[in-house]
Amino acid sequence: MRKQLAVLIGMISVFAVVTAIFIYEWLHPTFQYPEARDGVLDARQWDFAQQGIIPLRGEWEFYENALLTPLQFRSGGTALEEERRIIRVPGGWKDIVASGSGYGAGTYRLQVQVGDPDLYSLRGKKIRMSSHIYMGGADLGGTGSPDLQSDRFVPSNLPFFGTVKAETNTIEILIQVASYRYMEGGLVQAPEFGLMGDVMARRDNARLADMIVITTLLVFGIYFAGMFKQWRREPYLLFFSLFCLTMGLFFSIDNEIIMATMLPSISFPLLQKMLFILPYYSILFFIHYVRLYLSDRVGAGFRLLSRFSYGYLLILVAIPNDFLVVLLWPGIVLQVVAFAFIFVWIFRNRNRGVHVYYILLGVFFLLISWVYAQTRYQLALDNPFYMIVTPLLLVLSQSFLMSERAREAFLQSERLAEQLIVYDRQKDEFLAKTSHELRTPLHGIINLSQALLDNKERPLSPEHRENIRLLHLIGRRLAGLVHNIMDMNRIRHGQLSIQPKPVDLNMSTRFVIETLSIAPVNREVRLLNELPSTLPFVLADENRLRQILHNLLENGLKYTDRGTVSISSEIRGAMLAVSIADTGRGIPPHVMGSLFQPYFQYDKDCADSRDGIGLGLSISKQLVELQGGHMEVQSETGRGSRFTFTLPIAPNRSDEVAAAANDRRKEPAALSPAVTAQIGPETEFHILIVDDEPSNLKVAMDAIGSMKHAYTAVGGGEEALAVLRRKKPDLVLLDLMMPGVSGLDVCREIRLLHGLAELPVLMLTASGQTGDIVAAFAAGANDILQKPFELAELKARVQSLLAMKSSSEQAVRREMDFLQAQITPHFLYNSLNALIGLSYKDVNKLRETIHHLTVYLRAKFTFVFQSATVPLDRELELVRAYLAIEQLRFGQRLKVEYSIDEKARCLLPPLILQPIVENAVRHGIGQKPEGGTVHLVVRRSDGGVEITVEDDGVGMDEHKLAMLEKRHTTGIGIDNVNRRLQMKYGRKLNINSQTGLGTRITIYLTEVSDVESNSD
């Protein structure tokens, strides 16, 4: 501690001695110049070319209250001799002019005798406060506007430079001077006289020195301002930046006043204000810089100094310029106190080592500049040229100090980074091990909670059900997080294997969109697939591509409150660029750089508690890069975001392949022939096998063949649909992911025509992900099997589905038999009574009624034995026969209206429409005393056929409708129809009814183009 104190005291002592020596030599120059005597300066022995410039010091003639010209001196005579006075230059007018205050006007005159006529120049500085100069009889102009009237006087303190060609050896110099405000007048600094080249070089060198200082200070000020913008934790950077900027501005209005060359119209009052204010501001900024850098406490003394300083600056700004000189010494006192505080802080923090020495060095250079500036101002002296170094050394010393601090911070950051790498590795290992341990219990939670939710025999209470549902959702969320953590760990350790192959982006996108649509993240947001139909295949890992699409689309859904999330693409050379755009809240610009960092989440306060831990985007970006692409993001706050990633286009599977696939969609007739195998006449079942991979197709064909079943094997979705149009198989083995038409598309087409029990579908998938399984079952699959599969498992699942189909068909047949047995004797008795009555009245009507009864009974007993479905017109024939018989029985109480589109063609199970019409007649119209109307409508609608049976009978109340929906009814007609439609098509009747207004029942069926008409 004592050693450090001794070093500080020694440095300060050396600085003080060196400063005192410099100032003494500056004030007492050893070089002697000729001086003026009685208004004449004899320079005939002075060699201007060798010895340089002469300061015009000495005795000048002075004519008070007169602004004289050379002409007046030539013709003035004795009148001017009486006004002539001799005064010393440099010097002010205080106690010289009659006013005694130093204000007034007058003319200075000096005759300079030179050895040789030549081009001579005059350079004047600090001529207060205005001037007009004549030299050698020539009018050289001046600065400001001197005048004998104070109201016409214009002040200026700009330097002056003028040149004349001397014709004689005596050069007369006249300087008109006036000052009525601000400061006392006079030549307070001696003008400089010499050869034009030397005087001009002196002026240019002074300007160059000022420019060097100004440029250096402003550049460092901007540099440290930029450092503060990047490193806001260090406020001392801001104050040092402000110090450099204010010092740079001060030097631009001092000495040669460089600012006047850029702003020639700048006024003297503004310049004077700035000359008083800027130095104090610079000292104030510097003292704040030192205190903040040393992190010294703010004591009562410093707070008091700050208050006085701000008050002083406020006064400087507010008061008129006439009183600024009065405030000069109070400002000097405050600046001295500020330097004292700096030294106190330096001594207090002397144990900080080299940092304190750098600061002390800067304070020394600042103190030298300050002392020289105050001395130069008080004595009206020129700055010595070596003083250009002090502000530069001040800035450089503090720059070295901050560089040293930055170096120490860098070394500390390196040490921390090494520790963080170790901690990060340990964290990854912990997360990976923990994730593996969590998978089994999490899947147990998910499966057990799902079992509780699906238990229909012992349903949970509403309160417990909601809790279990939340538990299930949380479990699934945690399982997804565990999966992401494990993926991230594999990527970091290079353990994630990528198996690129040509992949159909269209098919993968449709699959992901369908998966997300099963359990929508936000029902207010629509997913739009804007990919063109003719896209080239991309070279990618199919499962990882779907993971990327899922992450990006789900991210868009999470952060979009309402609107759309769309996917589009474009070809960029050999790459395919895929863009996912949303209309959500957008991403703030300041987080864009960290968006793809692992575990990064932005705007948590506004994210409405979104799920996730910030791994999805990071994993997606790294998966894209592992497959040879890159990812970028564009976003505008409040408008939405666009994520774009690129993947290489698959070689030899580009536009031509996609175009060929598109052509196959348009021309089914040109498909390649399917492979069909018929085992023998005893074969009971026929199975359709669909897979785009030849090896998988061969394995499935061998397995089905060994089970003695017939099969048809095709290699794509289009071929499968073509086979289904020709002949319905008993079972379909269907690959989930295929180019062109995917397995999900084929399965949906099957379910439009056939129910789950009528045509079972066993889906085959290579990924086995939960999303694949959910999407497969949502599309209508009966079962799903992961590839590669065991042959025994495949055979067991095939046999189980075929047994289910057979059992279902037997149940339907038994139900049809039961339905046929429901032809009530009451209906036959009424019909026969009607026939007997007609035999006495209308024989022709009798024949017609017998025909209708025959049609009705034939349809009731024979439809089921012919086929599982019948054409629509056959069912309509039965309905017409039934209604004709009922109209005979009801008479005028029953009216029938038909609105039938003759172009409508479809197949439907037998005895579907007639029980509905019978229900309308018996339970709707029959219960109404005045009768009513039954309206039958058949029309084409959106690729299907819509059949409506409407009556204006008694209708049903809400309770009866609810009982009908729950199948708690005593009759079998409507319930039987509903059950058979549900089994075959997966849809039910649409029933609308109101008490007293009637009932409307609607059926939606799939339209079939080629249907035989009534054959009988």
Side-chain angles (χ1 to χ4, degrees):
M1 191 71 70
R2 291 181 178 178
K3 180 179 179 182
Q4 294 167 343
L5 182 61
V7 170
L8 286 177
I9 294 175
M11 291 180 64
I12 292 173
S13 301
V14 171
F15 292 160
V17 171
V18 170
T19 303
I21 293 174
F22 279 140
I23 293 176
Y24 180 81
E25 291 181 351
W26 178 43
L27 297 178
H28 300 85
T30 58
F31 196 85
Q32 297 295 322
Y33 294 97
E35 288 192 1
R37 296 282 185 271
D38 196 28
V40 178
L41 191 149
D42 188 356
R44 287 173 294 182
Q45 304 302 320
W46 185 265
D47 187 353
F48 284 96
Q50 295 296 324
Q51 295 175 288
I53 299 169
I54 297 176
L56 300 180
R57 296 192 183 97
E59 300 175 347
W60 285 56
E61 297 177 10
F62 181 67
Y63 301 87
E64 187 177 353
N65 295 324
L67 300 178
L68 305 175
T69 64
L71 182 61
Q72 289 174 300
F73 275 100
R74 284 195 291 271
S75 60
T78 58
L80 290 178
E81 279 295 326
E82 295 176 358
E83 298 294 330
R84 179 175 181 269
R85 294 171 58 190
I86 299 297
I87 62 173
R88 292 285 304 178
V89 173
W93 286 351
K94 191 172 184 180
D95 301 329
I96 292 179
V97 296
S99 64
S101 61
Y103 296 124
T107 301
Y108 286 89
R109 181 171 182 259
L110 179 69
Q111 298 184 64
V112 181
Q113 297 176 347
V114 296
D116 299 306
D118 206 335
L119 285 172
Y120 290 95
S121 295
L122 181 73
R123 177 172 174 252
K125 296 173 66 178
K126 295 184 177 58
I127 302 177
R128 296 173 179 169
M129 287 301 301
S130 60
S131 64
H132 196 103
I133 299 175
Y134 299 87
M135 189 166 74
D139 186 349
L140 301 182
T143 62
S145 178
D147 201 282
L148 295 177
Q149 301 296 323
S150 62
D151 55 345
R152 292 186 295 185
F153 150 76
V154 178
S156 174
N157 66 334
L158 299 180
F160 171 82
F161 176 84
T163 302
V164 297
K165 180 174 179 56
E167 302 294 341
T168 65
N169 291 343
T170 301
I171 302 173
E172 180 187 48
I173 300 174
L174 298 180
I175 303 178
Q176 298 176 356
V177 180
S179 177
Y180 295 98
R181 294 180 62 189
Y182 308 124
M183 302 180 73
E184 66 172 306
L187 293 178
V188 295
Q189 183 176 342
E192 295 177 335
F193 178 84
L195 295 176
M196 181 186 71
D198 294 339
V199 178
M200 186 178 293
R202 174 71 64 89
R203 182 199 64 179
D204 293 342
N205 289 337
R207 287 184 175 182
L208 178 62
D210 284 353
M211 284 298 299
I212 292 173
V213 174
I214 294 167
T215 304
T216 302
L217 289 171
L218 293 180
V219 167
F220 273 97
I222 295 171
Y223 170 73
F224 285 112
M227 284 188 65
F228 172 72
K229 183 179 179 182
Q230 300 295 326
W231 202 9
R232 292 182 180 272
R233 295 181 306 163
E234 304 292 351
Y236 65 85
L237 292 170
L238 173 63
F239 284 100
F240 191 73
S241 168
L242 293 173
F243 166 76
C244 292
L245 293 174
T246 51
M247 286 292 290
L249 287 175
F250 171 74
F251 279 107
S252 70
I253 59 174
D254 189 36
N255 200 23
E256 292 296 323
I257 313 181
I258 300 297
M259 185 179 287
T261 61
M262 296 179 289
L263 300 172
S265 61
I266 189 169
S267 65
F268 172 77
L270 178 59
L271 281 174
Q272 189 183 29
K273 281 269 187 182
M274 294 173 67
L275 282 170
F276 273 77
I277 293 173
L278 287 176
Y280 199 86
Y281 261 120
S282 63
I283 298 296
L284 196 61
F285 289 142
F286 190 81
I287 189 174
H288 279 292
Y289 154 71
V290 174
R291 185 188 65 80
L292 290 170
Y293 188 92
L294 296 175
S295 302
D296 203 280
R297 64 182 183 271
V298 179
F302 180 72
R303 280 195 289 269
L304 185 62
L305 174 64
S306 299
R307 293 192 186 100
F308 273 110
S309 298
Y310 295 136
Y312 176 74
L313 287 171
L314 185 62
I315 294 173
L316 286 180
V317 172
I319 67 170
N321 287 44
D322 307 73
F323 304 99
L324 285 178
V325 178
V326 179
L327 293 175
L328 178 63
W329 282 103
I332 292 176
V333 172
L334 287 174
Q335 292 174 26
V336 170
V337 174
F339 278 113
F341 270 99
I342 292 176
F343 283 109
V344 169
W345 292 335
I346 289 174
F347 275 95
R348 189 182 294 165
N349 293 273
R350 58 185 178 275
N351 59 341
R352 298 279 294 271
V354 68
H355 296 274
V356 174
Y357 301 144
Y358 273 119
I359 289 179
L360 185 59
L361 192 61
V363 173
F364 168 68
F365 291 129
L366 177 62
L367 194 58
I368 289 179
S369 299
W370 180 80
V371 170
Y372 269 86
Q374 296 300 333
T375 306
R376 182 168 57 87
Y377 180 82
Q378 296 295 331
L379 301 180
L381 298 174
D382 254 345
N383 227 13
F385 281 114
Y386 58 79
M387 284 306 299
I388 185 179
V389 179
T390 55
L392 302 182
L393 291 178
L394 164 62
V395 174
L396 290 175
S397 65
Q398 301 313 293
S399 299
F400 290 146
L401 170 63
M402 283 176 252
S403 299
E404 177 66 21
R405 184 155 181 161
R407 186 185 72 85
E408 292 179 358
F410 174 75
L411 293 176
Q412 185 178 8
S413 297
E414 275 193 332
R415 290 192 297 270
L416 292 175
E418 292 174 357
Q419 293 178 0
L420 286 174
I421 290 173
V422 175
Y423 295 154
D424 187 60
R425 188 182 302 114
Q426 294 173 351
K427 180 260 298 176
D428 289 340
E429 293 174 358
F430 170 76
L431 287 175
K433 293 178 181 179
T434 305
S435 299
H436 280 287
E437 295 298 327
L438 286 175
R439 290 181 70 186
T440 301
L442 276 175
H443 281 88
I445 293 172
I446 294 169
N447 295 331
L448 290 174
S449 58
Q450 186 66 57
L452 289 172
L453 293 171
D454 295 341
N455 192 339
K456 303 298 183 183
E457 296 180 359
R458 300 177 62 185
L460 298 168
S461 65
E463 180 182 355
H464 290 164
R465 184 176 184 83
E466 180 62 21
N467 290 336
I468 294 297
R469 188 186 70 83
L470 289 175
L471 176 65
H472 180 75
L473 292 176
I474 292 171
R476 297 191 72 87
R477 175 192 170 195
L478 289 176
L481 296 182
V482 167
H483 179 74
N484 283 340
I485 291 172
M486 295 179 67
D487 271 352
M488 179 59 68
N489 189 61
R490 293 191 192 99
I491 291 173
R492 284 192 171 183
H493 292 87
Q495 298 172 351
L496 188 70
S497 61
I498 299 294
Q499 299 175 350
K501 64 177 183 179
V503 178
D504 186 353
L505 177 66
N506 256 318
M507 185 267 296
S508 297
T509 300
R510 290 200 305 272
F511 181 83
V512 172
I513 290 177
E514 288 156 6
T515 303
L516 290 170
S517 300
I518 295 170
V521 177
N522 187 347
R523 298 185 184 274
E524 299 293 327
V525 182
R526 292 184 298 117
L527 280 170
L528 300 180
N529 185 353
E530 299 177 351
L531 295 175
S533 58
T534 57
L535 268 183
F537 282 49
V538 293
L539 190 63
D541 187 307
E542 187 172 21
N543 291 330
R544 297 303 175 182
L545 173 59
R546 282 158 52 197
Q547 184 177 355
I548 295 167
L549 293 171
H550 188 280
N551 285 345
L552 294 179
L553 288 170
E554 187 178 43
N555 184 75
L557 290 171
K558 283 182 180 179
Y559 293 97
T560 303
D561 297 323
R562 60 178 55 85
T564 60
V565 176
S566 61
I567 179 170
S568 57
S569 67
E570 63 175 346
I571 296 176
R572 298 179 182 174
M575 308 292 284
L576 182 67
V578 184
S579 298
I580 288 86
D582 62 66
T583 58
R585 64 188 59 186
I587 304 169
H590 64 276
V591 303
M592 296 285 278
S594 306
L595 195 61
F596 294 108
Q597 296 298 321
Y599 307 104
F600 177 78
Q601 291 177 296
Y602 72 91
D603 203 10
K604 293 182 180 178
D605 295 334
C606 301
D608 297 332
S609 300
R610 307 294 190 189
D611 293 338
I613 57 173
L615 282 178
L617 292 178
S618 176
I619 291 175
S620 298
K621 183 175 186 295
Q622 294 186 66
L623 288 177
V624 168
E625 292 173 350
L626 286 174
Q627 298 176 83
H630 72 276
M631 182 177 289
E632 60 191 33
V633 59
Q634 298 172 329
S635 184
E636 184 177 349
T637 305
R639 299 288 298 275
S641 306
R642 175 181 291 270
F643 289 86
T644 301
F645 67 91
T646 60
L647 290 173
I649 297 175
N652 303 322
R653 298 283 304 265
S654 56
D655 297 333
E656 294 79 4
V657 175
N662 192 52
D663 292 339
R664 289 198 297 272
R665 298 188 189 106
K666 297 178 180 178
E667 302 176 10
L671 294 171
S672 59
V675 177
T676 303
Q678 185 75 31
I679 303 300
E682 71 281 0
T683 300
E684 183 180 0
F685 297 108
H686 185 274
I687 299 174
L688 175 61
I689 307 172
V690 188
D691 201 313
D692 65 325
E693 185 65 36
S695 60
N696 292 337
L697 195 63
K698 182 66 169 63
V699 171
M701 290 163 57
D702 292 343
I704 298 303
S706 67
M707 298 174 69
K708 307 302 180 183
H709 298 317
Y711 62 82
T712 297
V714 296
E718 286 287 355
E719 294 91 334
L721 292 176
V723 171
L724 287 167
R725 293 188 190 102
R726 295 195 297 269
K727 181 180 179 180
K728 179 175 78 70
D730 297 294
L731 175 66
V732 179
L733 296 183
L734 185 59
D735 184 26
L736 182 69
M737 303 296 289
M738 294 184 295
V741 179
S742 69
L744 295 177
D745 296 331
V746 174
C747 192
R748 289 194 194 89
E749 290 292 330
I750 291 173
R751 289 296 166 249
L752 290 176
L753 298 172
H754 308 288
L756 290 166
E758 185 183 8
L759 181 52
V761 175
L762 174 58
M763 197 75 78
L764 307 175
T765 178
S767 68
Q769 296 179 1
T770 303
D772 296 351
I773 298 171
V774 174
F777 283 117
N782 296 73
D783 199 357
I784 190 165
L785 180 62
Q786 185 175 353
K787 297 186 293 185
F789 45 75
E790 294 289 338
L791 288 180
E793 184 179 3
L794 173 65
K795 292 178 181 180
R797 291 178 184 263
V798 168
Q799 202 63 41
S800 174
L801 291 176
L802 291 174
M804 181 271 296
K805 172 183 168 61
S806 299
S807 176
S808 175
E809 289 178 347
Q810 292 175 7
V812 171
R813 184 175 295 275
R814 285 195 298 270
E815 191 163 347
M816 289 298 296
D817 293 341
F818 178 65
L819 183 62
Q820 288 173 349
Q822 302 306 310
I823 302 174
T824 62
H826 183 68
F827 175 77
L828 290 175
Y829 175 75
N830 289 337
S831 299
L832 291 174
N833 280 340
L835 292 175
I836 293 172
L838 285 175
S839 66
Y840 295 103
K841 298 176 183 179
D842 189 345
V843 176
N844 292 330
K845 187 68 173 177
L846 173 63
R847 292 193 185 98
E848 184 183 348
T849 304
I850 291 174
H851 173 72
H852 288 318
L853 182 59
T854 304
V855 171
Y856 174 77
L857 293 175
R858 180 191 63 184
K860 277 283 189 175
F861 286 112
T862 61
F863 277 3
V864 73
F865 300 108
Q866 292 180 357
S867 64
T869 57
V870 295
L872 174 61
D873 56 357
R874 294 286 298 276
E875 187 74 9
L876 289 175
E877 182 184 38
L878 172 61
V879 170
R880 287 190 179 98
Y882 169 75
L883 287 173
I885 297 170
E886 291 289 30
Q887 277 185 303
L888 180 64
R889 185 165 69 91
F890 278 85
Q892 295 299 320
R893 292 178 59 235
L894 175 61
K895 296 179 181 179
V896 179
E897 295 179 358
Y898 296 97
S899 299
I900 298 174
D901 186 350
E902 298 298 333
K903 295 182 180 180
R905 294 286 186 270
C906 69
L907 295 174
L908 69 165
L911 301 180
I912 286 289
L913 188 55
Q914 188 274 332
I916 298 173
V917 175
E918 182 176 348
N919 182 77
V921 173
R922 292 177 58 191
H923 301 292
I925 305 300
Q927 304 297 324
K928 193 174 181 181
E930 66 273 21
T933 303
V934 174
H935 191 189
L936 177 60
V937 181
V938 179
R939 65 186 184 91
R940 303 168 71 189
S941 173
D942 298 330
V945 176
E946 180 182 296
I947 304 173
T948 302
V949 179
E950 185 173 5
D951 67 75
D952 55 0
V954 296
M956 293 180 285
D957 57 20
E958 293 183 1
H959 175 70
K960 189 173 292 186
L961 277 174
M963 297 295 288
L964 190 63
E965 178 71 22
K966 296 179 181 179
R967 301 172 62 180
H968 294 166
T969 58
T970 57
I972 65 169
I974 297 298
D975 184 53
N976 175 275
V977 172
N978 247 336
R979 189 161 58 251
R980 287 193 291 143
L981 286 175
Q982 179 74 22
M983 183 179 298
K984 185 169 181 61
Y985 299 111
R987 64 189 70 154
K988 298 191 296 184
L989 297 173
N990 186 3
I991 304 175
N992 295 287
S993 183
Q994 292 186 20
T995 304
L997 297 178
T999 303
R1000 183 175 66 253
I1001 299 178
T1002 305
I1003 309 173
Y1004 297 95
L1005 298 172
T1006 303
E1007 187 173 18
V1008 180
S1009 57
D1010 299 326
V1011 178
E1012 293 183 3
S1013 301
N1014 189 354
S1015 57
D1016 293 338

